[in-house]
Amino acid sequence: MISAMRDGHRAPRDKSGKRKPGAKDYPPRPDISRMIEVVAGAGLRVSEVCGLRVCDVDTMRLTITVNGLVKPGGREWLPVPKSEKSQRDIPVPQGVIDVIVQQLQESPQRDRTGPIFPYTGDARGEEKRLLHDRADMGNYMRRLHDVHGFREVGMHDFRHFYASALIAGGATVAEVQEALGHARPMTTLETYTHLWQKRDSKLRDAAGVLFDLVAAERRQGAAAPQPTGDGLKAL
């Protein structure tokens, strides 16, 4: 999906070079492709990645600080409430930083408060618009589905992808909650409880490690020479 968004789509042509009726050309959108990568690698909400600013990224510490989000319509950036878990520092891999750096090289900002992913759409009546919003991202994801036949996946699904990767890597409920910015740990548990290893499985695996050691000792003892004669009497 990242590659499909990056490369765009040229509608099929007939022998004369004309597009088939109803078919559309979609230009390459490497900026939207990079937004998908950032969500998959940092777990941002759609409104958060749309509002990500240059000053929110620390390339040395490899962190993204979530400070704000974009209101519907893409005209206004709002700071996230400091009293909630939404404002947070997210440690990210070098690959996410590289994607952001590439985006800024192609779309440089005049100051550090500028958006990393400025609005570059073509919506009518949006001359004063500066930022993408959730509706934009929904339109782009539907385009992927319609053109390439991908299953219906929204931008938010890449946030779930990120969370599942953390859990598979051994992250605790508290760690996943903090990374995602959930206000309550129960929200994290209710959403992802099926991904954490079940208690029965943990107990079974722990006991299995010990049992394997016992079985190995037993096999080693069975393979040892058995005493005979006077030695057997001594036993």
Side-chain angles (χ1 to χ4, degrees), residues 9-26:
H9 173 74
R10 191 168 186 269
R13 262 65 174 173
D14 59 22
K15 292 182 179 179
S16 65
K18 295 182 179 180
R19 288 181 304 186
K20 294 183 178 180
K24 294 182 180 180
D25 287 332
Y26 291 109

Side-chain angles (χ1 to χ4, degrees), residues 63-196:
T63 58
I64 288 176
T65 301
V66 179
N67 285 310
L69 49 80
V70 176
K71 288 184 65 176
R75 290 189 178 91
E76 189 175 359
W77 181 93
L78 292 177
V80 296
K82 294 183 179 180
S83 59
E84 299 180 3
K85 296 287 187 179
S86 295
Q87 188 180 55
R88 60 201 188 276
D89 292 330
I90 306 172
V92 296
Q94 182 64 52
V96 171
I97 299 296
D98 293 342
V99 167
I100 292 173
V101 169
Q102 185 180 10
Q103 170 65 20
L104 290 174
Q105 288 174 342
E106 296 187 12
S107 182
Q109 297 298 306
R110 288 181 292 181
D111 59 69
R112 289 181 53 78
T113 61
I116 292 175
F117 300 104
Y119 179 74
T120 55
D122 53 3
R124 296 178 181 177
E126 299 292 351
E127 294 83 2
K128 297 181 180 180
R129 186 170 185 166
L130 300 174
L131 305 163
H132 290 287
D133 67 356
R134 289 177 59 89
D136 285 333
M137 296 301 103
N139 290 334
Y140 284 119
M141 299 309 291
R142 281 190 291 273
R143 177 186 300 181
L144 287 178
H145 174 263
D146 294 341
V147 171
H148 299 283
F150 297 142
R151 69 182 180 89
E152 293 190 32
V153 173
M155 198 75 160
H156 195 79
D157 289 291
F158 293 101
R159 177 170 157 90
H160 293 319
F161 172 85
Y162 168 80
S164 66
L166 296 187
I167 294 169
T172 64
V173 174
E175 289 168 340
V176 176
Q177 176 198 359
E178 182 178 357
L180 295 178
H182 287 158
R184 301 181 304 113
M186 282 306 300
T187 302
T188 310
L189 273 173
E190 289 170 359
T191 307
Y192 302 108
T193 186
H194 62 287
L195 296 178
W196 267 288

Side-chain angles (χ1 to χ4, degrees), residues 17-58:
K18 295 182 179 180
R19 288 181 304 186
K20 294 183 178 180
K24 294 182 180 180
D25 287 332
Y26 291 109
R29 291 306 304 261
D31 57 332
I32 306 301
S33 175
R34 294 183 193 118
M35 291 179 79
I36 296 174
E37 290 189 78
V38 171
V39 173
L44 301 180
R45 297 179 175 92
V46 179
S47 58
E48 292 172 346
V49 71
C50 291
L52 195 63
R53 304 171 302 171
V54 177
C55 59
D56 297 328
V57 180
D58 190 326

